[in-house]
PDB file of all heavy atoms in Angstrom:
ATOM      1  N   PRO A  88     -24.206  62.476 -22.695  1.00 98.00           N
ATOM      2  CA  PRO A  88     -25.430  61.720 -22.420  1.00 98.00           C
ATOM      3  C   PRO A  88     -25.153  60.274 -22.007  1.00 98.00           C
ATOM      4  O   PRO A  88     -25.859  59.719 -21.172  1.00 98.00           O
ATOM      5  CB  PRO A  88     -26.185  61.770 -23.765  1.00 98.00           C
ATOM      6  CG  PRO A  88     -25.628  62.967 -24.470  1.00 98.00           C
ATOM      7  CD  PRO A  88     -24.196  63.045 -24.051  1.00 98.00           C
ATOM      8  N   GLU A  89     -24.102  59.688 -22.586  1.00 98.00           N
ATOM      9  CA  GLU A  89     -23.805  58.283 -22.272  1.00 98.00           C
ATOM     10  C   GLU A  89     -23.313  58.135 -20.823  1.00 98.00           C
ATOM     11  O   GLU A  89     -23.724  57.217 -20.107  1.00 98.00           O
ATOM     12  CB  GLU A  89     -22.760  57.743 -23.258  1.00 98.00           C
ATOM     13  CG  GLU A  89     -22.502  56.262 -23.086  1.00 98.00           C
ATOM     14  CD  GLU A  89     -21.766  55.655 -24.284  1.00 98.00           C
ATOM     15  OE1 GLU A  89     -21.622  56.325 -25.319  1.00 98.00           O
ATOM     16  OE2 GLU A  89     -21.337  54.496 -24.157  1.00 98.00           O
ATOM     17  N   THR A  90     -22.459  59.043 -20.392  1.00 98.00           N
ATOM     18  CA  THR A  90     -21.959  58.958 -19.016  1.00 98.00           C
ATOM     19  C   THR A  90     -23.081  59.279 -18.028  1.00 98.00           C
ATOM     20  O   THR A  90     -23.185  58.662 -16.964  1.00 98.00           O
ATOM     21  CB  THR A  90     -20.751  59.894 -18.826  1.00 98.00           C
ATOM     22  OG1 THR A  90     -19.805  59.598 -19.857  1.00 98.00           O
ATOM     23  CG2 THR A  90     -20.090  59.683 -17.485  1.00 98.00           C
ATOM     24  N   GLU A  91     -23.933  60.228 -18.384  1.00 98.00           N
ATOM     25  CA  GLU A  91     -25.082  60.516 -17.510  1.00 98.00           C
ATOM     26  C   GLU A  91     -25.988  59.280 -17.420  1.00 98.00           C
ATOM     27  O   GLU A  91     -26.461  58.916 -16.339  1.00 98.00           O
ATOM     28  CB  GLU A  91     -25.875  61.722 -18.043  1.00 98.00           C
ATOM     29  CG  GLU A  91     -26.925  62.187 -17.049  1.00 98.00           C
ATOM     30  CD  GLU A  91     -27.855  63.258 -17.593  1.00 98.00           C
ATOM     31  OE1 GLU A  91     -27.967  63.403 -18.827  1.00 98.00           O
ATOM     32  OE2 GLU A  91     -28.504  63.927 -16.767  1.00 98.00           O
ATOM     33  N   ARG A  92     -26.186  58.597 -18.555  1.00 98.00           N
ATOM     34  CA  ARG A  92     -27.013  57.374 -18.548  1.00 98.00           C
ATOM     35  C   ARG A  92     -26.379  56.291 -17.670  1.00 98.00           C
ATOM     36  O   ARG A  92     -27.054  55.607 -16.918  1.00 98.00           O
ATOM     37  CB  ARG A  92     -27.156  56.824 -19.978  1.00 98.00           C
ATOM     38  CG  ARG A  92     -28.315  57.390 -20.755  1.00 98.00           C
ATOM     39  CD  ARG A  92     -28.722  56.488 -21.924  1.00 98.00           C
ATOM     40  NE  ARG A  92     -27.644  56.144 -22.832  1.00 98.00           N
ATOM     41  CZ  ARG A  92     -27.174  56.929 -23.799  1.00 98.00           C
ATOM     42  NH1 ARG A  92     -27.695  58.131 -23.980  1.00 98.00           N
ATOM     43  NH2 ARG A  92     -26.197  56.525 -24.588  1.00 98.00           N
ATOM     44  N   TYR A  93     -25.069  56.177 -17.794  1.00 98.00           N
ATOM     45  CA  TYR A  93     -24.335  55.176 -16.998  1.00 98.00           C
ATOM     46  C   TYR A  93     -24.556  55.414 -15.496  1.00 98.00           C
ATOM     47  O   TYR A  93     -24.880  54.490 -14.750  1.00 98.00           O
ATOM     48  CB  TYR A  93     -22.843  55.259 -17.350  1.00 98.00           C
ATOM     49  CG  TYR A  93     -21.919  54.473 -16.453  1.00 98.00           C
ATOM     50  CD1 TYR A  93     -21.893  53.086 -16.498  1.00 98.00           C
ATOM     51  CD2 TYR A  93     -21.058  55.123 -15.573  1.00 98.00           C
ATOM     52  CE1 TYR A  93     -21.025  52.363 -15.679  1.00 98.00           C
ATOM     53  CE2 TYR A  93     -20.190  54.413 -14.754  1.00 98.00           C
ATOM     54  CZ  TYR A  93     -20.179  53.032 -14.810  1.00 98.00           C
ATOM     55  OH  TYR A  93     -19.322  52.318 -14.000  1.00 98.00           O
ATOM     56  N   LEU A  94     -24.410  56.666 -15.076  1.00 99.00           N
ATOM     57  CA  LEU A  94     -24.543  56.956 -13.645  1.00 99.00           C
ATOM     58  C   LEU A  94     -25.989  56.765 -13.178  1.00 99.00           C
ATOM     59  O   LEU A  94     -26.237  56.348 -12.044  1.00 99.00           O
ATOM     60  CB  LEU A  94     -24.008  58.362 -13.347  1.00 99.00           C
ATOM     61  CG  LEU A  94     -22.486  58.459 -13.545  1.00 99.00           C
ATOM     62  CD1 LEU A  94     -22.014  59.903 -13.523  1.00 99.00           C
ATOM     63  CD2 LEU A  94     -21.722  57.645 -12.492  1.00 99.00           C
ATOM     64  N   ASN A  95     -26.946  57.031 -14.061  1.00 99.00           N
ATOM     65  CA  ASN A  95     -28.351  56.748 -13.727  1.00 99.00           C
ATOM     66  C   ASN A  95     -28.583  55.249 -13.627  1.00 99.00           C
ATOM     67  O   ASN A  95     -29.331  54.776 -12.767  1.00 99.00           O
ATOM     68  CB  ASN A  95     -29.286  57.366 -14.772  1.00 99.00           C
ATOM     69  CG  ASN A  95     -29.590  58.821 -14.443  1.00 99.00           C
ATOM     70  OD1 ASN A  95     -30.498  59.099 -13.653  1.00 99.00           O
ATOM     71  ND2 ASN A  95     -28.818  59.735 -15.009  1.00 99.00           N
ATOM     72  N   TYR A  96     -27.933  54.505 -14.499  1.00 98.00           N
ATOM     73  CA  TYR A  96     -28.049  53.043 -14.480  1.00 98.00           C
ATOM     74  C   TYR A  96     -27.520  52.500 -13.140  1.00 98.00           C
ATOM     75  O   TYR A  96     -28.140  51.639 -12.512  1.00 98.00           O
ATOM     76  CB  TYR A  96     -27.264  52.469 -15.663  1.00 98.00           C
ATOM     77  CG  TYR A  96     -27.316  50.967 -15.756  1.00 98.00           C
ATOM     78  CD1 TYR A  96     -28.395  50.329 -16.361  1.00 98.00           C
ATOM     79  CD2 TYR A  96     -26.287  50.183 -15.242  1.00 98.00           C
ATOM     80  CE1 TYR A  96     -28.441  48.938 -16.447  1.00 98.00           C
ATOM     81  CE2 TYR A  96     -26.324  48.802 -15.317  1.00 98.00           C
ATOM     82  CZ  TYR A  96     -27.401  48.182 -15.928  1.00 98.00           C
ATOM     83  OH  TYR A  96     -27.450  46.814 -16.005  1.00 98.00           O
ATOM     84  N   VAL A  97     -26.382  53.043 -12.734  1.00 99.00           N
ATOM     85  CA  VAL A  97     -25.789  52.617 -11.453  1.00 99.00           C
ATOM     86  C   VAL A  97     -26.744  52.944 -10.300  1.00 99.00           C
ATOM     87  O   VAL A  97     -26.989  52.110  -9.418  1.00 99.00           O
ATOM     88  CB  VAL A  97     -24.416  53.301 -11.248  1.00 99.00           C
ATOM     89  CG1 VAL A  97     -23.871  53.055  -9.848  1.00 99.00           C
ATOM     90  CG2 VAL A  97     -23.426  52.813 -12.301  1.00 99.00           C
ATOM     91  N   ALA A  98     -27.299  54.155 -10.327  1.00 99.00           N
ATOM     92  CA  ALA A  98     -28.221  54.566  -9.251  1.00 99.00           C
ATOM     93  C   ALA A  98     -29.419  53.629  -9.182  1.00 99.00           C
ATOM     94  O   ALA A  98     -29.864  53.251  -8.096  1.00 99.00           O
ATOM     95  CB  ALA A  98     -28.678  56.006  -9.479  1.00 99.00           C
TER      96      ALA A  98
END
Side-chain angles (χ1 to χ4, degrees):
E89 186 165 350
T90 308
E91 189 187 20
R92 272 201 306 280
Y93 170 71
L94 292 168
N95 275 276
Y96 180 83
V97 171

